[in-house]
Amino acid sequence: MGQLGLGRQFGRLAPRLDGAFRADGVFAHDRLRFVDFVDDVEDLLEEVALQEWGDKEAVDGFEEYIWQHYSG
């Protein structure tokens, strides 16, 4: 998020993702279904993009960029 200029949002979002990963960084499948985690992250990213840029087109472009960037 810092590389995208959204680092200031991380402090607000991090607590909402708390519990999804164990202390060793491994996803906590026993606490949360991965599909639910992905849905939550998608919602959070849309919220951040809407707050930062203020329109739905920007949100869609940001979401597309994130999925392409992280899915290879």
Side-chain angles (χ1 to χ4, degrees):
M1 290 185 74
Q3 292 175 344
L4 296 172
L6 302 171
R8 66 188 174 93
Q9 296 283 356
F10 184 75
R12 187 179 62 80
L13 297 176
R16 293 176 64 181
L17 301 175
D18 191 35
F21 295 90
R22 294 189 183 99
D24 61 2
V26 174
F27 183 76
H29 291 281
D30 57 332
R31 291 185 227 158
L32 181 67
R33 292 182 333 147
F34 189 72
V35 68
D36 293 336
F37 172 74
V38 171
D39 286 342
D40 289 347
V41 169
E42 180 179 12
D43 292 343
L44 290 171
L45 290 175
E46 288 176 355
E47 182 181 318
V48 167
L50 190 58
Q51 288 176 359
E52 289 291 321
W53 297 295
D55 66 42
K56 180 70 175 142
E57 188 174 314
V59 171
D60 292 340
F62 178 68
E63 184 178 6
E64 182 178 328
Y65 168 81
I66 292 294
W67 288 118
Q68 287 179 355
H69 180 77
Y70 286 104
S71 67

